Amino acid sequence: VASEPFVESFRAAVRATSRSEERECIVICYSREVLGQSGAGHFSPIAGYHEGTDSVLILDVARFKYPPHWARLSDVAAAMSSVDP
């Protein structure tokens, strides 16, 4: 579980980046296991934010394994807070 200050900070960064007209992006390092996927530490870009469901669109770089998918922002924050053994 990610701390509330971290979740709020991450949400603010995702909102700002998704609304930006600059060439900005967020790439996350996260535990796939925390999101119910196989594998451990992984990097992928965030492609969008849906405020109504508070979800982010993850463009998994291993497209052969996981297509682009939506995940709750708080779950992604928890996956980013997990320490890879």
Side-chain angles (χ1 to χ4, degrees):
V1 176
S3 71
E4 193 57 33
F6 176 70
V7 173
E8 289 302 321
S9 176
F10 179 49
R11 183 178 291 114
V14 168
R15 279 183 179 147
T17 303
S18 68
R19 294 175 181 164
S20 175
E21 293 184 19
E22 301 298 320
R23 294 179 58 133
E24 298 177 308
C25 68
I26 294 177
V27 176
I28 57 172
C29 176
Y30 64 103
S31 168
R32 285 180 154 185
E33 189 174 57
V34 173
L35 295 182
Q37 301 172 342
S38 64
H42 189 63
F43 289 89
S44 287
I46 298 288
Y49 176 66
H50 186 264
E51 196 154 354
T53 59
D54 196 33
S55 299
V56 294
L57 178 60
I58 300 173
L59 294 184
D60 201 305
V61 295
R63 292 179 305 171
F64 67 91
K65 192 170 187 178
Y66 294 107
H69 56 279
W70 290 94
R72 288 182 359 174
L73 185 135
S74 60
D75 293 343
V76 173
M80 291 167 57
S81 299
S82 178
V83 176
D84 198 4

XYZ file of all heavy atoms in Angstrom:
651
model
N 0.848 -1.187 0.000
C 0.000 0.000 0.000
C 0.888 1.243 0.000
O 1.824 1.344 0.779
C -0.933 0.002 1.230
C -1.751 1.269 1.296
C -1.820 -1.222 1.216
N 0.565 2.159 -0.885
C 1.332 3.406 -0.979
C 0.766 4.428 -0.005
O -0.432 4.433 0.288
C 1.261 3.954 -2.396
N 1.618 5.291 0.498
C 1.158 6.331 1.419
C 0.273 7.322 0.673
O 0.435 7.550 -0.532
C 2.357 7.066 2.035
O 2.988 7.871 1.050
N -0.669 7.916 1.370
C -1.584 8.875 0.757
C -0.850 10.077 0.157
O -1.201 10.507 -0.945
C -2.650 9.325 1.759
C -3.806 10.061 1.104
C -4.526 9.266 0.020
O -4.623 8.033 0.122
O -5.000 9.901 -0.953
N 0.180 10.628 0.838
C 0.912 11.737 0.202
C 1.557 11.329 -1.133
O 1.552 12.110 -2.084
C 1.980 12.112 1.235
C 1.409 11.667 2.537
C 0.633 10.413 2.222
N 2.075 10.091 -1.218
C 2.663 9.628 -2.472
C 1.591 9.479 -3.546
O 1.787 9.881 -4.697
C 3.413 8.310 -2.288
C 3.951 7.775 -3.590
C 5.011 8.406 -4.234
C 3.384 6.666 -4.193
C 5.487 7.935 -5.450
C 3.861 6.187 -5.399
C 4.911 6.829 -6.024
N 0.443 8.902 -3.194
C -0.658 8.730 -4.153
C -1.106 10.091 -4.686
O -1.277 10.270 -5.898
C -1.845 7.962 -3.524
C -3.047 7.948 -4.462
C -1.438 6.539 -3.154
N -1.269 11.066 -3.808
C -1.694 12.407 -4.228
C -0.646 13.066 -5.120
O -0.993 13.714 -6.119
C -1.989 13.279 -3.010
C -3.248 12.877 -2.263
C -4.496 12.905 -3.139
O -4.643 13.821 -3.986
O -5.330 11.993 -2.992
N 0.615 12.909 -4.784
C 1.697 13.474 -5.592
C 1.749 12.819 -6.970
O 1.920 13.500 -7.997
C 3.028 13.293 -4.856
O 4.097 13.742 -5.628
N 1.605 11.513 -7.011
C 1.598 10.778 -8.276
C 0.400 11.208 -9.121
O 0.522 11.457 -10.320
C 1.589 9.272 -8.002
C 1.550 8.404 -9.227
C 2.426 8.613 -10.284
C 0.651 7.358 -9.314
C 2.394 7.807 -11.411
C 0.611 6.540 -10.430
C 1.478 6.763 -11.482
N -0.772 11.316 -8.498
C -1.984 11.748 -9.208
C -1.792 13.139 -9.813
O -2.155 13.396 -10.968
C -3.191 11.743 -8.273
C -4.504 12.112 -8.955
C -5.694 12.040 -8.007
N -5.979 10.656 -7.643
C -5.853 10.152 -6.415
N -5.424 10.923 -5.409
N -6.152 8.897 -6.177
N -1.211 14.048 -9.042
C -0.971 15.409 -9.535
C -0.016 15.389 -10.732
O -0.229 16.106 -11.720
C -0.416 16.285 -8.420
N 1.026 14.568 -10.663
C 1.983 14.469 -11.770
C 1.319 13.874 -13.010
O 1.543 14.353 -14.130
C 3.185 13.629 -11.348
N 0.498 12.851 -12.825
C -0.199 12.224 -13.958
C -1.178 13.215 -14.586
O -1.235 13.353 -15.807
C -0.923 10.931 -13.504
C -1.888 10.436 -14.569
C 0.090 9.852 -13.160
N -1.935 13.916 -13.760
C -2.875 14.925 -14.290
C -2.139 15.997 -15.083
O -2.541 16.354 -16.191
C -3.636 15.594 -13.145
C -4.793 14.816 -12.624
C -5.494 15.614 -11.547
N -6.636 14.909 -11.027
C -7.060 14.982 -9.789
N -6.429 15.753 -8.915
N -8.119 14.308 -9.392
N -1.085 16.531 -14.503
C -0.338 17.605 -15.154
C 0.257 17.140 -16.481
O 0.184 17.847 -17.490
C 0.761 18.120 -14.232
N 0.821 15.955 -16.499
C 1.433 15.434 -17.715
C 0.382 15.125 -18.779
O 0.580 15.412 -19.956
C 2.271 14.181 -17.406
O 3.247 14.522 -16.422
C 2.975 13.653 -18.641
N -0.743 14.585 -18.363
C -1.785 14.239 -19.339
C -2.431 15.478 -19.950
O -2.979 15.414 -21.047
C -2.850 13.336 -18.709
O -3.597 14.029 -17.744
N -2.357 16.603 -19.274
C -2.931 17.855 -19.773
C -1.911 18.733 -20.481
O -2.270 19.729 -21.104
C -3.542 18.642 -18.619
C -4.728 17.947 -18.002
C -5.227 18.687 -16.797
N -6.363 17.991 -16.214
C -6.822 18.205 -15.008
N -6.247 19.121 -14.241
N -7.855 17.533 -14.553
N -0.663 18.365 -20.402
C 0.418 19.185 -20.950
C 0.412 19.173 -22.474
O 0.119 18.155 -23.104
C 1.767 18.667 -20.442
O 2.820 19.369 -21.055
N 0.753 20.294 -23.053
C 0.909 20.379 -24.501
C 2.376 20.194 -24.905
O 2.703 20.237 -26.078
C 0.369 21.718 -25.004
C -1.133 21.825 -24.831
C -1.710 23.105 -25.396
O -1.046 23.751 -26.223
O -2.824 23.445 -25.009
N 3.227 20.010 -23.928
C 4.646 19.747 -24.176
C 4.834 18.260 -24.472
O 3.950 17.449 -24.261
C 5.481 20.153 -22.960
C 5.347 21.609 -22.577
C 5.831 22.554 -23.660
O 6.864 22.267 -24.303
O 5.146 23.564 -23.885
N 6.007 17.912 -24.919
C 6.321 16.499 -25.191
C 6.846 15.864 -23.906
O 8.042 15.635 -23.751
C 7.329 16.406 -26.314
C 6.758 16.887 -27.635
C 7.785 16.803 -28.712
N 8.254 15.421 -28.822
C 8.378 14.754 -29.948
N 8.089 15.335 -31.068
N 8.825 13.522 -29.954
N 5.950 15.626 -22.978
C 6.300 15.051 -21.682
C 5.676 13.664 -21.571
O 4.647 13.390 -22.189
C 5.760 15.910 -20.544
C 6.315 17.307 -20.507
C 5.684 18.138 -19.407
O 4.448 18.202 -19.333
O 6.453 18.700 -18.623
N 6.281 12.835 -20.751
C 5.693 11.536 -20.461
C 6.161 11.090 -19.079
O 7.121 11.620 -18.531
C 6.055 10.503 -21.513
S 7.786 10.029 -21.528
N 5.455 10.131 -18.559
C 5.841 9.514 -17.283
C 6.119 8.044 -17.571
O 5.296 7.356 -18.183
C 4.716 9.642 -16.228
C 4.506 11.096 -15.845
C 5.041 8.789 -15.002
C 3.374 11.324 -14.863
N 7.276 7.598 -17.151
C 7.631 6.184 -17.230
C 7.732 5.693 -15.800
O 8.417 6.299 -14.974
C 8.966 5.974 -17.984
C 9.359 4.499 -17.968
C 8.850 6.487 -19.411
N 7.024 4.618 -15.514
C 7.005 4.100 -14.141
C 7.833 2.819 -14.045
O 7.951 2.056 -14.999
C 5.568 3.836 -13.653
C 4.825 2.866 -14.578
C 4.812 5.146 -13.531
C 3.478 2.405 -14.066
N 8.387 2.621 -12.887
C 9.038 1.375 -12.514
C 8.127 0.776 -11.454
O 7.862 1.401 -10.428
C 10.431 1.643 -11.946
S 11.240 0.137 -11.369
N 7.628 -0.428 -11.724
C 6.614 -0.993 -10.823
C 6.726 -2.509 -10.750
O 7.364 -3.145 -11.588
C 5.215 -0.588 -11.287
C 4.814 -1.121 -12.648
C 3.957 -2.196 -12.764
C 5.299 -0.552 -13.814
C 3.580 -2.690 -14.005
C 4.943 -1.030 -15.058
C 4.073 -2.101 -15.150
O 3.721 -2.583 -16.382
N 6.081 -3.061 -9.746
C 6.017 -4.507 -9.570
C 4.787 -5.028 -10.297
O 3.658 -4.693 -9.933
C 5.930 -4.870 -8.088
O 5.584 -6.237 -7.944
N 5.000 -5.835 -11.305
C 3.865 -6.439 -12.010
C 3.051 -7.322 -11.063
O 1.839 -7.416 -11.197
C 4.368 -7.290 -13.165
C 4.840 -6.501 -14.326
C 5.310 -7.447 -15.383
N 5.187 -6.812 -16.685
C 5.442 -7.448 -17.803
N 5.824 -8.702 -17.786
N 5.309 -6.831 -18.950
N 3.739 -7.974 -10.164
C 3.073 -8.893 -9.234
C 1.977 -8.187 -8.436
O 0.900 -8.738 -8.229
C 4.112 -9.517 -8.308
C 3.583 -10.627 -7.448
C 4.692 -11.287 -6.657
O 5.398 -10.587 -5.908
O 4.832 -12.502 -6.786
N 2.247 -6.960 -8.006
C 1.270 -6.198 -7.224
C 0.002 -5.936 -8.046
O -1.093 -5.866 -7.505
C 1.882 -4.876 -6.711
C 0.847 -3.998 -6.044
C 3.023 -5.174 -5.737
N 0.147 -5.860 -9.377
C -1.005 -5.636 -10.254
C -1.635 -6.942 -10.742
O -2.483 -6.945 -11.627
C -0.602 -4.781 -11.460
C -0.163 -3.351 -11.159
C 0.154 -2.609 -12.450
C -1.233 -2.604 -10.369
N -1.205 -8.067 -10.149
C -1.784 -9.361 -10.496
C -1.224 -9.966 -11.770
O -1.837 -10.850 -12.359
N -0.053 -9.500 -12.199
C 0.585 -10.016 -13.401
C 1.793 -10.861 -13.007
O 2.240 -10.807 -11.868
C 1.027 -8.859 -14.304
C -0.108 -7.958 -14.726
C 0.379 -6.718 -15.449
O 1.542 -6.339 -15.364
N -0.518 -6.071 -16.165
N 2.323 -11.602 -13.966
C 3.521 -12.381 -13.674
C 4.750 -11.502 -13.870
O 4.749 -10.578 -14.672
C 3.605 -13.609 -14.588
O 3.733 -13.218 -15.931
N 5.775 -11.789 -13.115
C 7.006 -11.018 -13.205
C 7.192 -10.117 -12.007
O 6.346 -10.043 -11.115
N 8.305 -9.414 -12.011
C 8.637 -8.541 -10.879
C 8.792 -7.115 -11.385
O 7.897 -6.585 -12.024
C 9.890 -9.048 -10.183
N 9.941 -6.500 -11.109
C 10.176 -5.120 -11.504
C 10.083 -4.918 -13.003
O 10.524 -5.758 -13.787
N 9.476 -3.813 -13.424
C 9.207 -3.577 -14.840
C 9.067 -2.080 -15.089
O 8.643 -1.337 -14.200
C 7.911 -4.309 -15.204
C 7.611 -4.353 -16.652
N 8.405 -4.992 -17.571
C 6.576 -3.843 -17.358
C 7.870 -4.869 -18.774
N 6.759 -4.171 -18.667
N 9.406 -1.627 -16.282
C 9.251 -0.224 -16.683
C 8.238 -0.131 -17.820
O 8.305 -0.932 -18.762
C 10.577 0.351 -17.197
C 11.606 0.560 -16.138
C 12.492 -0.435 -15.801
C 11.694 1.778 -15.479
C 13.453 -0.248 -14.826
C 12.646 1.979 -14.495
C 13.525 0.967 -14.173
N 7.333 0.839 -17.755
C 6.387 1.111 -18.842
C 5.923 2.555 -18.756
O 5.869 3.132 -17.668
C 5.157 0.195 -18.754
O 5.473 -1.124 -19.127
N 5.561 3.143 -19.897
C 5.044 4.512 -19.876
C 3.553 4.564 -19.549
O 2.816 3.618 -19.818
C 5.298 5.007 -21.307
C 5.294 3.770 -22.132
C 5.826 2.674 -21.251
N 3.156 5.686 -18.969
C 1.749 5.988 -18.728
C 1.262 6.766 -19.951
O 1.858 7.772 -20.326
C 1.575 6.867 -17.456
C 2.065 6.133 -16.215
C 0.136 7.336 -17.318
C 1.194 5.018 -15.757
N 0.174 6.314 -20.562
C -0.311 6.939 -21.794
C -1.546 7.805 -21.586
O -1.919 8.554 -22.476
C -0.617 5.873 -22.832
N -2.186 7.695 -20.438
C -3.391 8.491 -20.237
C -3.898 8.389 -18.815
O -3.440 7.555 -18.025
N -4.838 9.264 -18.530
C -5.465 9.295 -17.202
C -6.961 9.489 -17.384
O -7.396 10.353 -18.150
C -4.884 10.442 -16.370
C -5.550 10.614 -15.017
C -5.440 9.628 -14.040
C -6.283 11.749 -14.720
C -6.049 9.779 -12.803
C -6.881 11.913 -13.480
C -6.760 10.923 -12.529
O -7.365 11.068 -11.297
N -7.761 8.674 -16.706
C -9.217 8.802 -16.726
C -9.658 9.232 -15.336
O -9.602 8.446 -14.382
C -9.884 7.480 -17.113
C -11.352 7.601 -17.271
N -12.234 7.298 -16.267
C -12.090 8.019 -18.323
C -13.459 7.508 -16.685
N -13.396 7.954 -17.945
N -10.033 10.497 -15.227
C -10.345 11.064 -13.918
C -11.573 10.416 -13.278
O -11.624 10.212 -12.068
C -10.542 12.580 -14.035
C -10.485 13.267 -12.703
C -10.064 14.712 -12.801
O -9.694 15.181 -13.883
O -10.096 15.363 -11.748
N -12.565 10.051 -14.083
C -13.794 9.458 -13.545
C -13.577 8.169 -12.783
O -14.259 7.894 -11.801
N -12.617 7.373 -13.243
C -12.311 6.103 -12.566
C -10.985 6.157 -11.823
O -10.588 5.161 -11.217
C -12.268 4.937 -13.582
O -11.262 5.217 -14.571
C -13.625 4.730 -14.242
N -10.304 7.304 -11.896
C -8.993 7.490 -11.281
C -8.050 6.365 -11.710
O -7.410 5.706 -10.894
C -9.104 7.559 -9.750
C -7.854 8.134 -9.103
O -7.207 9.008 -9.720
O -7.510 7.705 -7.979
N -8.004 6.169 -13.040
C -7.191 5.095 -13.617
C -6.177 5.653 -14.604
O -6.406 6.696 -15.218
C -8.092 4.094 -14.352
O -9.004 3.499 -13.474
N -5.077 4.916 -14.758
C -4.057 5.278 -15.743
C -3.982 4.186 -16.800
O -4.248 3.014 -16.534
C -2.663 5.488 -15.096
C -2.670 6.680 -14.167
C -2.184 4.251 -14.372
N -3.619 4.601 -18.013
C -3.433 3.664 -19.111
C -1.945 3.345 -19.207
O -1.125 4.236 -19.438
C -3.934 4.274 -20.427
C -3.768 3.425 -21.680
C -4.513 2.096 -21.551
C -4.244 4.203 -22.903
N -1.613 2.086 -19.003
C -0.225 1.637 -19.049
C 0.035 1.020 -20.419
O -0.684 0.115 -20.851
C 0.074 0.602 -17.942
C -0.167 1.210 -16.561
C 1.503 0.078 -18.073
C -0.050 0.221 -15.410
N 1.035 1.550 -21.114
C 1.453 0.968 -22.395
C 2.608 0.012 -22.108
O 3.774 0.400 -22.138
C 1.907 2.059 -23.378
C 0.858 3.033 -23.865
C 1.460 3.970 -24.903
C -0.329 2.296 -24.457
N 2.272 -1.218 -21.811
C 3.300 -2.188 -21.450
C 4.279 -2.354 -22.601
O 3.873 -2.543 -23.751
C 2.666 -3.528 -21.091
C 3.587 -4.376 -20.257
O 4.731 -4.628 -20.686
O 3.177 -4.764 -19.155
N 5.556 -2.242 -22.305
C 6.578 -2.356 -23.349
C 6.748 -3.803 -23.820
O 7.324 -4.039 -24.871
C 7.926 -1.756 -22.898
C 7.789 -0.264 -22.675
C 8.454 -2.451 -21.651
N 6.247 -4.750 -23.056
C 6.261 -6.160 -23.466
C 4.882 -6.487 -24.040
O 4.094 -7.228 -23.465
C 6.602 -7.057 -22.280
N 4.587 -5.919 -25.209
C 3.252 -6.050 -25.803
C 2.886 -7.497 -26.091
O 1.709 -7.840 -26.132
C 3.159 -5.233 -27.087
C 3.212 -3.751 -26.840
C 3.150 -2.984 -28.130
N 4.231 -3.456 -29.008
C 4.368 -3.131 -30.262
N 3.498 -2.338 -30.833
N 5.376 -3.589 -30.976
N 3.871 -8.346 -26.306
C 3.586 -9.759 -26.571
C 2.967 -10.435 -25.353
O 2.279 -11.440 -25.469
C 4.873 -10.502 -26.971
C 5.875 -10.601 -25.855
C 5.886 -11.688 -24.997
C 6.798 -9.578 -25.646
C 6.803 -11.763 -23.960
C 7.715 -9.651 -24.618
C 7.721 -10.747 -23.770
N 3.209 -9.859 -24.183
C 2.735 -10.466 -22.938
C 1.490 -9.763 -22.396
O 0.542 -10.417 -21.971
C 3.867 -10.414 -21.901
C 3.625 -11.240 -20.680
C 4.891 -11.318 -19.843
C 4.724 -12.280 -18.702
N 5.923 -12.424 -17.912
N 1.509 -8.428 -22.385
C 0.393 -7.647 -21.867
C 0.089 -6.483 -22.803
O 0.954 -5.636 -23.024
C 0.705 -7.095 -20.472
C 0.849 -8.165 -19.423
C 2.097 -8.497 -18.913
C -0.253 -8.856 -18.961
C 2.241 -9.498 -17.958
C -0.112 -9.861 -18.006
C 1.132 -10.163 -17.516
O 1.258 -11.152 -16.579
N -1.107 -6.428 -23.345
C -1.478 -5.287 -24.188
C -1.676 -4.042 -23.310
O -1.680 -4.140 -22.076
C -2.806 -5.729 -24.820
C -3.384 -6.689 -23.832
C -2.200 -7.385 -23.203
N -1.847 -2.869 -23.929
C -2.153 -1.676 -23.121
C -3.345 -1.971 -22.211
O -4.300 -2.644 -22.623
C -2.501 -0.627 -24.173
C -1.759 -1.065 -25.393
C -1.795 -2.571 -25.358
N -3.290 -1.484 -20.985
C -4.364 -1.781 -20.039
C -4.530 -0.640 -19.038
O -3.602 0.111 -18.762
C -4.102 -3.097 -19.299
C -2.782 -3.137 -18.591
N -1.609 -3.429 -19.243
C -2.448 -2.904 -17.301
C -0.603 -3.376 -18.378
N -1.080 -3.048 -17.193
N -5.760 -0.523 -18.522
C -6.085 0.468 -17.499
C -5.891 -0.157 -16.128
O -6.200 -1.333 -15.920
C -7.523 0.939 -17.639
C -7.755 1.780 -18.850
C -8.189 1.360 -20.068
C -7.545 3.194 -18.949
N -8.259 2.426 -20.928
C -7.880 3.560 -20.274
C -7.116 4.174 -18.065
C -7.801 4.876 -20.724
C -7.031 5.482 -18.511
C -7.369 5.824 -19.818
N -5.388 0.639 -15.187
C -5.224 0.186 -13.798
C -5.539 1.362 -12.877
O -5.270 2.517 -13.228
C -3.799 -0.310 -13.555
N -6.114 1.053 -11.737
C -6.419 2.116 -10.769
C -5.124 2.793 -10.342
O -4.122 2.122 -10.062
C -7.135 1.543 -9.550
C -8.550 1.138 -9.837
C -9.280 0.626 -8.629
N -8.432 0.606 -7.422
C -8.861 0.320 -6.229
N -10.106 0.016 -6.029
N -8.046 0.316 -5.206
N -5.168 4.105 -10.285
C -3.978 4.876 -9.926
C -3.424 4.450 -8.568
O -2.216 4.292 -8.415
C -4.302 6.368 -9.938
C -3.108 7.277 -9.684
C -3.110 8.439 -10.663
C -3.107 7.790 -8.268
N -4.279 4.214 -7.588
C -3.794 3.814 -6.256
C -3.105 2.452 -6.305
O -2.119 2.234 -5.590
C -4.934 3.806 -5.242
O -5.955 2.902 -5.640
N -3.581 1.543 -7.161
C -2.927 0.236 -7.318
C -1.552 0.396 -7.968
O -0.594 -0.272 -7.580
C -3.793 -0.707 -8.139
C -5.080 -1.116 -7.447
O -5.179 -0.950 -6.213
O -5.980 -1.608 -8.147
N -1.474 1.284 -8.955
C -0.203 1.521 -9.632
C 0.785 2.169 -8.641
O 1.959 1.801 -8.608
C -0.388 2.389 -10.894
C 0.957 2.772 -11.500
C -1.248 1.662 -11.907
N 0.307 3.093 -7.827
C 1.173 3.718 -6.810
C 1.699 2.655 -5.849
O 2.879 2.670 -5.475
C 0.415 4.805 -6.065
N 0.839 1.713 -5.467
C 1.282 0.623 -4.582
C 2.318 -0.252 -5.293
O 3.317 -0.656 -4.689
C 0.086 -0.216 -4.141
N 2.091 -0.508 -6.582
C 3.039 -1.319 -7.360
C 4.387 -0.596 -7.508
O 5.436 -1.240 -7.536
C 2.459 -1.647 -8.729
N 4.347 0.729 -7.565
C 5.581 1.504 -7.649
C 6.307 1.547 -6.300
O 7.517 1.755 -6.252
C 5.269 2.938 -8.086
C 4.786 3.044 -9.517
S 4.070 4.648 -9.923
C 5.397 5.758 -9.527
N 5.586 1.356 -5.213
C 6.167 1.421 -3.870
C 6.753 0.104 -3.407
O 7.457 0.053 -2.405
C 5.089 1.869 -2.867
O 4.611 3.144 -3.209
N 6.445 -0.955 -4.137
C 6.936 -2.279 -3.777
C 8.431 -2.380 -4.051
O 8.928 -1.895 -5.076
C 6.188 -3.341 -4.591
O 6.661 -4.612 -4.300
N 9.165 -3.015 -3.154
C 10.607 -3.187 -3.325
C 10.862 -4.531 -3.975
O 10.393 -5.571 -3.515
C 11.330 -3.102 -1.946
C 12.816 -3.375 -2.118
C 11.097 -1.756 -1.318
N 11.605 -4.518 -5.079
C 11.947 -5.737 -5.803
C 13.020 -6.477 -5.009
O 14.067 -5.918 -4.720
C 12.461 -5.347 -7.189
C 12.432 -6.484 -8.186
O 11.934 -7.575 -7.829
O 12.909 -6.297 -9.307
N 12.744 -7.758 -4.673
C 13.724 -8.500 -3.860
C 15.036 -8.750 -4.556
O 15.220 -8.761 -5.671
C 13.004 -9.815 -3.563
C 11.891 -9.915 -4.516
C 11.597 -8.539 -5.012
